[in-house]
Amino acid sequence: DISAGEVLFSDTPEAVGPDSNTKPVPVCLTCYKRLPCLVYRCWHCSWPLCSPFCQKADGPHARECELFQIHSPRFNIEDFDKPCHWYNAIMVLRILWLKDNKPETWKLLDILMDHLDEQTVESKIKCKGVIDFIHNHCKLNQFTKTEIRHIIGVIDTNAYIIGENPNKDVDLQGLFPFTSILNHSCT
């Protein structure tokens, strides 16, 4: 018997980031506050952040920061009031980082459905932009187009909106491995 209010299981998101299903605007990749202009750059990778306090070795930005440091691309955002498609790649990179750094977690996320066969034209365009950013701008060619497409599909199919930034102007999404598996009705 299950009692009312009894916790059946808990799950932790293995990746959190700005919602990639919107036209993302520049935000700090640690606290997710909107960036009105270039306030501060990460000392390690040059990505725009809101302050030195958000440049934490174990913070949310650490995963992509580690990847960006491999080839040291420059990140110059022209207009902080307009959407920046680079932010569509952040969740993807945070998950791809798991492949070499947390292989057991990677295996849990890699088995999730991607529903790429149902991808819309708009999703295909976004996917092409993410692949272009990862391969051509960041030079992270250790990840295949197939892997990147799969992860984009996994995020689109399985990630949940889990909250907002402190100013309530940016939605945050999380990818929960066990919740995603339980949520599937594929039989």
Side-chain angles (χ1 to χ4, degrees):
D1 290 330
I2 299 171
S3 302
E6 182 178 349
V7 175
L8 300 179
F9 77 98
S10 63
D11 199 2
T12 303
E14 292 300 336
V16 173
D19 182 13
S20 60
N21 289 317
T22 60
K23 295 189 184 307
V25 292
V27 297
C28 175
L29 292 180
T30 297
C31 71
Y32 305 108
K33 289 181 187 169
R34 291 270 315 259
L35 295 173
C37 60
L38 180 59
V39 178
Y40 177 81
R41 283 191 184 277
C42 174
W43 186 78
H44 302 291
C45 73
S46 85
W47 191 277
L49 299 173
C50 73
S51 74
F53 300 107
C54 281
Q55 184 178 310
K56 301 175 183 173
D58 61 348
H61 172 60
R63 290 182 186 180
E64 65 272 8
C65 183
E66 182 180 317
L67 292 171
F68 293 153
Q69 290 176 59
I70 296 170
H71 297 289
S72 302
R74 289 296 295 169
F75 303 107
N76 295 315
I77 297 173
E78 299 292 325
D79 188 343
F80 282 77
D81 292 324
K82 291 185 179 176
C84 180
H85 70 276
W86 292 347
Y87 286 85
N88 286 328
I90 298 303
M91 274 287 284
V92 177
L93 289 168
R94 289 178 178 181
I95 294 167
L96 290 169
W97 177 90
L98 295 168
K99 185 178 176 184
D100 292 328
N101 295 281
K102 291 177 108 182
E104 292 305 314
T105 302
W106 167 259
K107 287 178 190 173
L108 287 173
L109 299 177
D110 192 39
I111 64 170
L112 296 174
M113 296 296 297
D114 60 23
H115 293 291
L116 289 176
D117 54 327
E118 300 170 17
Q119 203 175 34
T120 64
V121 172
E122 185 178 315
S123 292
K124 288 178 184 178
I125 291 169
K126 181 180 85 172
C127 188
K128 188 175 183 302
V130 170
I131 291 169
D132 180 65
F133 175 73
I134 291 172
H135 280 177
N136 298 327
H137 189 84
C138 300
K139 308 289 187 228
L140 296 171
N141 294 309
Q142 68 267 40
F143 306 117
T144 67
K145 288 180 181 180
T146 302
E147 285 175 324
I148 296 168
R149 277 191 203 100
H150 173 64
I151 294 305
I152 291 168
V154 165
I155 293 167
D156 288 348
T157 304
N158 300 282
Y160 298 89
I161 298 298
I162 60 171
E164 299 172 307
N165 69 348
N167 296 337
K168 302 194 179 302
D169 57 0
V170 175
D171 286 334
L172 303 177
Q173 62 183 345
L175 186 57
F176 297 78
F178 298 112
T179 303
S180 296
I181 291 169
L182 289 174
N183 190 44
H184 279 277
S185 60
C186 304
T187 55

